Amino acid sequence: MIMKTRNSFRVALGGAALSGVLLLAGAGGALGQSAQAIKEIPADKGKVAGSIIIDYNSRSERSASGVDTYDISEIAVADLFLMKGTIQRTPGSKLAYSVRYDVINPTNPGQIARDVAILRGEMQIDNRGRYLPETGQLRLDVVKGNQTTSKVTGSIQGREVTRWWEVGELVRRAKTEATKVYSRYVDGKVVSIQVKNPDPLRFERLGLPSGPFSFLPETRVSGNLDYDYELGNWLTDQNGVTFAYTVGDKSYTDRVTGSIRYVEETGSTTDAKGKKREYTGYYEYNLRWNEQQAASGGDQFFDEANAAAQSDAFFSTSDQTKPGLYGKVFYSDTDDACKRIKKDDGKMECVGPTRSEVTYSLNAVKLNYQQLASWMKLELLVIGPFTDE
């Protein structure tokens, strides 16, 4: 699955040098490199911060291209790597990636090697809504130091709806179709909520590439992220989303459970660089790694009489001591020159925002480098469904 070619040169860092062994382990350094993958991220280093500008040209009357663009100005992932570049999406057809990685020297965080790796290629979307990375040769290429190529494999079954103006029909159907109960432990007891007709984003043996450091292995992702059309939330069921990988000679499987809750409110926040940013809403992350699993069956009971209290407890982020990813991703949406459709009441309405300014402010708690890196790689692959609304 991985094709490797080797090079012996070193990466220059403005007078310093970052050895290629930090990028891809040679025979002598493999064990030490492996240990870095499962090393817990220091509490003061677990931030995920940065911004993306999204232009939804497919929704704009001013654009003739119909291609949505995601401009990643820079997203810093702990003291590990920085991502920057562009993703172009032709709705219903494909996503084209050109995302570069700068890597941070694990032994000297002041040293950063620029443009060491690049996620490039396309992810095709078939007529069933499946995202197919292998068809478009999507891969992570390490282009400096010891060079490697690691492919993205498997598939993602996309949500049933990818066009904003069809959401109204899904909400109407959700009021009459099947419901699903989601449960988790809160303060030692099971708390459950009920969602009508959730729409799953399904990972079908999705293979995340290794890199950009050699100690970050290929990872197999399975499970669902379910979307709630009525409230705009993302949820996992009790099975969670699993990440399976091997470090050294030991196999690991992490199970991620929890929620990414949408809150529609206006306000302002200050980003990691001290700039004030206005927002029109945000997603609040409450994702746990390897949390105690709520049993199915009798324990998984939805108490309709106490639905509001159960919901508040389920989405509560007051306890951020357990291993997980917490914080907010802020959106500032505008709908200038938007395409419009006629609603049931005869009024015309925008099909959705034509531009979103996205600001990341997340914090990894008690996660290791492999766990956080894998989640952020996954987010790049589902950036289309994640931002459709």
Side-chain angles (χ1 to χ4, degrees):
M1 187 173 354
I2 306 176
M3 298 175 294
K4 296 186 178 181
T5 59
R6 303 217 171 257
N7 224 325
S8 59
F9 63 86
R10 298 163 70 88
V11 181
L13 290 171
L18 177 59
S19 173
V21 76
L22 293 173
L23 307 178
L24 290 166
L31 292 178
Q33 294 275 325
S34 296
Q36 186 73 14
I38 55 176
K39 178 182 176 182
E40 184 175 308
I41 303 170
D44 62 338
K45 302 294 185 182
K47 305 294 185 185
V48 177
S51 62
I52 304 175
I53 303 297
I54 309 172
D55 285 308
Y56 297 104
N57 295 313
S58 61
R59 303 173 182 172
S60 175
E61 295 283 6
R62 294 174 181 167
S63 174
S65 73
V67 177
D68 301 333
T69 62
Y70 301 75
D71 183 6
I72 304 170
S73 58
E74 187 174 87
I75 295 178
V77 179
D79 56 343
L80 190 60
F81 56 71
L82 302 96
M83 303 182 295
K84 57 189 178 183
T86 59
I87 302 170
Q88 295 185 319
R89 182 176 71 149
T90 305
S93 177
K94 65 181 180 180
L95 290 93
Y97 287 79
S98 180
V99 179
R100 301 182 305 282
Y101 285 77
D102 298 342
V103 300
I104 301 169
N105 187 338
T107 60
N108 185 353
Q111 291 184 342
I112 299 175
R114 303 293 182 184
D115 299 335
V116 164
I118 181 168
L119 178 67
R120 55 187 168 191
E122 296 181 349
M123 186 153 56
Q124 304 290 329
I125 306 172
D126 70 12
N127 56 13
R128 292 188 295 160
R130 293 172 68 230
Y131 292 74
L132 304 171
E134 291 178 89
T135 303
Q137 299 184 23
L138 185 61
R139 66 216 184 262
L140 182 62
D141 291 335
V142 175
V143 295
K144 291 184 178 179
N146 293 325
Q147 300 175 19
T148 66
T149 291
S150 183
K151 296 179 180 179
V152 184
T153 60
S155 66
I156 304 169
Q157 176 60 60
R159 286 164 41 201
E160 183 175 347
V161 169
T162 58
R163 293 180 294 276
W164 184 92
W165 53 92
E166 294 177 356
V167 171
E169 176 61 24
L170 263 291
V171 172
R172 286 190 289 273
R173 284 167 50 187
K175 296 182 184 300
T176 59
E177 294 190 7
T179 60
K180 185 173 180 179
V181 174
Y182 298 81
S183 301
R184 58 181 292 248
Y185 276 98
V186 178
D187 296 331
K189 61 183 179 180
V190 176
V191 173
S192 299
I193 64 169
Q194 184 173 267
V195 173
K196 297 177 180 179
N197 198 36
D199 190 356
L201 185 64
R202 185 178 303 112
F203 306 111
E204 300 175 338
R205 292 188 59 79
L206 176 69
L208 301 179
S210 61
F213 285 98
S214 64
F215 58 75
L216 297 175
E218 290 181 329
T219 303
R220 186 74 64 186
V221 184
S222 300
N224 293 352
L225 270 175
D226 292 349
Y227 186 71
D228 173 8
Y229 281 98
E230 290 192 275
L231 299 178
N233 301 327
W234 290 94
L235 304 154
T236 69
D237 57 24
Q238 69 271 22
N239 296 318
V241 178
T242 61
F243 294 76
Y245 52 93
T246 299
V247 175
D249 58 357
K250 186 175 180 180
S251 297
Y252 297 83
T253 299
D254 293 319
R255 185 175 61 90
V256 179
T257 55
S259 62
I260 303 175
R261 180 175 70 108
Y262 181 67
V263 177
E264 186 174 2
E265 75 175 29
T266 59
S268 63
T269 186
T270 302
D271 67 17
K273 296 182 178 180
K275 182 178 179 180
K276 183 178 179 181
R277 294 183 179 271
E278 306 293 330
Y279 61 83
T280 55
Y282 57 82
Y283 282 98
E284 186 169 38
Y285 282 54
N286 187 15
L287 297 173
R288 307 286 180 85
W289 266 249
N290 304 315
E291 186 177 39
Q292 181 181 1
Q293 188 169 0
S296 59
D299 286 343
Q300 201 173 23
F301 172 72
F302 175 64
D303 183 1
E304 191 167 1
N306 295 304
Q310 294 264 325
S311 179
D312 288 344
F314 185 93
F315 290 111
S316 172
T317 58
S318 60
D319 181 7
Q320 298 187 8
T321 62
K322 296 179 174 66
L325 186 61
Y326 307 97
K328 298 174 181 177
V329 177
F330 298 93
Y331 280 70
S332 178
D333 295 335
T334 54
D335 57 9
D336 297 342
C338 64
K339 295 178 181 178
R340 296 177 180 271
I341 58 166
K342 185 179 291 187
K343 296 174 59 182
D344 292 343
D345 59 9
K347 294 181 179 179
M348 301 300 290
E349 183 175 70
C350 280
V351 298
T354 53
R355 184 179 175 89
S356 292
E357 297 183 9
V358 184
T359 302
Y360 277 76
S361 181
L362 300 176
N363 188 38
V365 175
K366 299 178 182 177
L367 298 185
N368 62 44
Y369 286 103
Q370 161 65 10
Q371 290 168 334
L372 180 58
S374 292
W375 180 267
M376 295 310 299
K377 289 177 185 177
L378 182 65
E379 282 216 9
L380 282 184
L381 300 182
V382 297
I383 196 168
F386 258 32
T387 60
D388 269 332
E389 304 313 316

